[in-house]
Amino acid sequence: MGRAPCCEKVGLKKGRWTKEEDEVLARYIKEHGEGSWRSLPKNAGLLRCGKSCRLRWINYLRAGLKRGNISEEEEDMIIKLHATLGNSFILLSSPRRWSLIAGHLPGRTDNEIKNYWNSHLSRRAADFRDGVVVDIDLSKLPGGGKRRGGRASRGAVVAAAKEKKAKEKDDRGNSKVAEAEQQLRDTEDDDGGSVSTPRPQSDDCGTAQSEEEQAQASASGLTSDGHGPEEEEEEDPLALSEEMVSALLAPESPKLEVGPDGSCMDSYSGPPSGESGCGSSGPSGDVAQDLDLDDDKAIMDWDLMGLDISTAGDMWDQLVWDYDETLVTEPEGGEEGHQQQDDVMSDLFFLDNL
DNA sequence: AATAAACCCAACCGCTATCTG
DNA sequence: GCAGATAGCGGTTGGGTTTAT
């Protein structure tokens, strides 16, 4: 039996909010304050779901919101925070922490950042994960490689200039994503690969960083229940990720270096990574290669959590092989063997889909 | 001018956590 | 302890906008 809907949806208006509705909502909240979202639409005379009212208020009508034009600094912050908070470190709780990222960007909402990431930054991140961005001269493709539609340019004359600018921005974004991911790995490295026992920040950068962070947190005023940051710190599991954020935002964070041949030269891994360079393996491939399964369980646990499955074929092959060996030792043709094989395949499917 | 396609974003949806009686 | 209400969150989608053909 499902829970009753938050509001009676029959007869309620959906879709875009009109100016009149915004005014009614804003006026009502100004007079009565936030809260009681369930009864708010009825009391305010709005044919909207309370949830919808809340979302509209939080994302658009609330005071102090910036609209549009994400600055370079904000974009930089989003990329770095996404690389940290979006990492599978918090895989089991939530794949991304938009609200947490938004908390570091005063005046920005989680929805806005989420949209910005999905429309602007995710492709760059995907490009980086898939490998080095390849410049293709579309004009040399069959059919001239002409692109239909889209918001790429406003005219043939402006196109070139914009393309150049866009490329610069893309490069910046790609390098930022690369930097962020690299910094994340270095952060993991610094922590001995275990997030459960994060090393305390050094006084130099830790103190300054935490001050900045506190300032940002207080400026954003985004706490889930109105408690101060100190209060939350004790029990909030995300405090760990906040520490990682601090480490990430430290000015002296190491950069990803690209060798003259285009190969990756990670500051911690030394030589260029693999025969295929960074193109085919991406950031996580190195992690997989550096796994020391016997010596350091903590590192393995962490790296497994952060592992890009698609780039760790060797390790998974090994895992499958081990499973197969186990199966072979079972009584041949037995029902139990089949059952176990099913279980194993189920496990592998589950792991592969993590 | 009409059309197609990519882009963008506001809003919806479903789920979980927390609060409250 | 339980159930319903509420708040919060992230993923997804519908439709408007923009641009090329």
Side-chain angles (χ1 to χ4, degrees):
Chain A
M1 188 170 68
R3 175 185 298 178
C6 66
C7 50
E8 187 54 61
K9 296 192 175 184
V10 179
L12 290 184
K13 193 178 171 191
K14 290 172 75 173
R16 307 238 158 187
W17 279 67
T18 64
K19 194 178 176 183
E20 289 72 26
E21 287 177 313
D22 281 346
E23 286 172 0
V24 169
L25 178 59
R27 197 182 320 125
Y28 182 88
I29 292 179
K30 191 178 177 183
E31 289 173 8
H32 300 89
E34 292 182 52
S36 306
W37 296 109
R38 185 182 170 86
S39 57
L40 185 150
K42 189 180 173 185
N43 295 337
L46 287 166
L47 289 174
R48 292 279 183 175
C49 170
K51 208 170 175 178
S52 180
C53 293
R54 176 185 155 270
L55 205 63
R56 183 67 183 174
W57 172 255
I58 288 175
N59 286 338
Y60 297 96
L61 302 177
R62 192 161 47 110
L65 289 179
K66 296 180 195 171
R67 302 293 305 151
N69 295 330
I70 301 275
S71 68
E72 284 192 16
E73 289 73 24
E74 287 174 315
E75 184 182 304
D76 192 38
M77 179 86 82
I78 291 171
I79 291 170
K80 285 182 177 178
L81 291 169
H82 186 278
T84 307
L85 305 178
N87 192 270
S88 49
F89 153 55
I90 47 173
L91 176 72
L92 296 181
S93 56
S94 175
R96 307 286 174 207
R97 279 288 170 180
W98 302 116
S99 61
L100 208 57
I101 295 174
H104 288 267
L105 296 163
R108 301 294 184 185
T109 67
D110 55 349
N111 204 36
E112 188 177 12
I113 290 170
K114 180 173 62 178
N115 281 334
Y116 188 76
W117 175 269
N118 287 334
S119 59
H120 292 82
L121 303 178
S122 62
R123 275 188 293 273
R124 293 185 217 165
D127 285 344
F128 175 74
R129 285 198 182 88
D130 290 344
V132 170
V133 175
V134 179
D135 281 331
I136 298 174
D137 188 351
L138 295 178
S139 64
K140 291 178 181 170
L141 291 176
K146 288 177 181 173
R147 175 178 170 278
R148 285 180 62 87
R151 291 178 178 173
S153 62
R154 290 184 179 275
V157 177
V158 192
K162 286 200 75 171
E163 190 178 330
K164 186 173 180 240
K165 191 173 179 181
K167 189 175 183 305
E168 282 171 2
K169 194 178 180 184
D170 262 11
D171 290 345
R172 181 170 58 82
N174 281 325
S175 65
K176 279 180 185 174
V177 172
E179 265 178 42
E181 303 229 12
Q182 174 63 18
Q183 288 170 12
L184 173 61
R185 290 204 304 275
D186 289 338
T187 306
E188 293 164 15
D189 242 22
D190 289 346
D191 288 342
S194 170
V195 293
S196 57
T197 54
R199 200 170 63 193
Q201 301 289 327
S202 70
D203 288 338
D204 286 342
C205 70
T207 306
Q209 189 56 48
S210 71
E211 281 174 5
E212 181 190 341
E213 207 174 320
Q214 280 180 11
Q216 285 173 337
S218 63
S220 66
L222 290 181
T223 53
S224 59
D225 54 5
H227 293 316
E230 298 86 357
E231 258 177 292
E232 280 198 335
E233 211 168 356
E234 267 192 10
E235 296 181 9
D236 186 3
L238 292 173
L240 291 174
S241 61
E242 291 292 335
E243 266 190 80
M244 295 172 71
V245 169
S246 300
L248 252 187
L249 298 178
E252 65 273 23
S253 299
K255 312 280 188 211
L256 176 71
E257 294 175 8
V258 180
D261 57 348
S263 59
C264 292
M265 298 182 66
D266 296 339
S267 58
Y268 73 97
S269 61
S273 55
E275 350 175 310
S276 50
C278 51
S280 62
S281 62
S284 300
D286 298 333
V287 175
Q289 284 192 339
D290 289 347
L291 279 176
D292 189 346
L293 300 181
D294 294 328
D295 292 347
D296 195 334
K297 280 282 180 189
I299 288 178
M300 188 188 78
D301 288 342
W302 164 250
D303 284 340
L304 271 175
M305 291 292 284
L307 193 62
D308 180 352
I309 302 297
S310 63
T311 63
D314 291 347
M315 198 187 75
W316 291 105
D317 288 347
Q318 180 68 34
L319 184 56
V320 173
W321 187 84
D322 286 344
Y323 266 118
D324 286 343
E325 282 297 295
T326 304
L327 289 175
V328 166
T329 61
E330 288 298 317
E332 284 187 36
E335 193 68 28
E336 189 184 350
H338 283 296
Q339 178 61 42
Q340 194 171 19
Q341 185 168 10
D342 288 344
D343 292 344
V344 168
M345 294 311 291
S346 175
D347 289 347
L348 287 173
F349 179 81
F350 170 74
L351 288 168
D352 200 31
N353 282 278
L354 273 178

